[in-house]
Amino acid sequence: MRKNLITLRNQKGYTQQEVAVHIGISRRMYGSIETGYRNPSWKVQKRLEQFFCIPAGELLAEMENIYERR
């Protein structure tokens, strides 16, 4: 999961649908990006950066799986 993206969206009070409409993708695609199931295109990454005013690398960082370390 991309916790930074989810947390920031929630802090700003946006729904997945609102963000998706603003950046020009479907809500389903946006949900897949948040869960880490899909990776956004370069254009969508740039739109996310502009929308949230945060570098895409920070927004799209995935949570570390603590079980992978064992």
Side-chain angles (χ1 to χ4, degrees), residues 5 8-9 12 14 18-27 29-30 33 39-57 59-60:
L5 186 57
L8 187 59
R9 177 180 57 79
K12 294 193 176 269
Y14 295 117
E18 290 169 326
V19 176
V21 167
H22 185 78
I23 64 173
I25 61 175
S26 70
R27 199 252 3 119
M29 177 62 171
Y30 181 78
I33 292 170
N39 290 316
S41 67
W42 183 82
K43 287 182 181 181
V44 171
Q45 288 180 35
K46 291 299 173 188
R47 291 180 197 150
L48 285 167
E49 282 183 340
Q50 291 173 348
F51 184 77
F52 288 110
C53 300
I54 292 181
L59 285 173
L60 301 174

Side-chain angles (χ1 to χ4, degrees), residues 51-67:
F51 184 77
F52 288 110
C53 300
I54 292 181
E58 289 180 35
L59 285 173
L60 301 174
E62 294 190 33
M63 288 178 55
E64 182 179 328
N65 186 343
I66 61 170
Y67 299 107

